[in-house]
Amino acid sequence: MALCPPGHHNRPSYLNVLASSLQDRFWERGLLSALYEAIELHQAALAVSLCPPGHYHRPSSLNNLASSLRDWFHQRGIPSDLEDAIQPYRLQVVFVGTFSRLLKDSPDSVALVNYHQKIGLALDY
């Protein structure tokens, strides 16, 4: 990351790639610490100074963070972790503008719908 210091226009993208690789390491080796680090890097990629609302990397960064947080929930089973995973999906919905387009474009977003249906909550389309 020394070659891509804070403020570099590609830093959010590189942080996401590194975080996704750490998420893969988690799945391959079962290292919860790798998943935790992936979450931290996804959050860093979303820092307002790097990836403000309207930035072209923001939707994918939100989706990647939500995916990592969802994996974190599945490992720990703590309901608040699932709520943490849902929040980036909600922000992504706002960014994209319509929930139906998000569902078409992002398979991970189906998890949000399934969760809401499971607990009996209606979604506002």
Side-chain angles (χ1 to χ4, degrees), residues 19-41:
S20 293
S21 295
L22 286 164
Q23 192 172 359
D24 290 343
R25 177 185 285 168
F26 159 72
W27 282 112
E28 287 295 319
R29 299 185 186 162
L31 298 172
L32 202 56
S33 61
L35 182 58
Y36 184 80
E37 188 177 356
I39 291 168
E40 288 182 326
L41 289 170

Side-chain angles (χ1 to χ4, degrees), residues 32-119:
L32 202 56
S33 61
L35 182 58
Y36 184 80
E37 188 177 356
I39 291 168
E40 288 182 326
L41 289 170
H42 284 310
Q43 290 170 332
L46 281 163
V48 174
S49 62
L50 292 177
C51 195
H55 191 281
Y56 62 96
H57 283 296
R58 195 157 182 87
S60 62
S61 294
L62 287 167
N63 190 66
N64 293 339
L65 173 60
S67 176
S68 292
L69 289 169
R70 193 182 66 236
D71 290 345
W72 185 255
F73 162 73
H74 285 299
Q75 291 302 305
R76 296 173 13 118
I78 299 172
S80 62
D81 290 341
L82 182 57
E83 292 303 317
D84 290 343
I86 290 170
Q87 185 59 27
Y89 284 130
R90 289 186 191 278
L91 293 172
Q92 188 182 32
V93 169
V94 169
F95 185 87
V96 172
T98 64
F99 194 75
S100 60
R101 176 176 161 84
L102 177 63
L103 289 178
K104 183 182 85 161
D105 291 347
S106 177
D108 284 336
S109 298
V110 173
L112 175 60
V113 173
N114 291 340
Y115 170 73
H116 278 238
Q117 288 174 342
K118 183 176 181 178
I119 64 171

Side-chain angles (χ1 to χ4, degrees), residues 6-17:
H8 189 281
H9 70 282
N10 280 331
R11 190 168 175 88
S13 179
Y14 295 146
L15 288 171
N16 270 307
V17 169

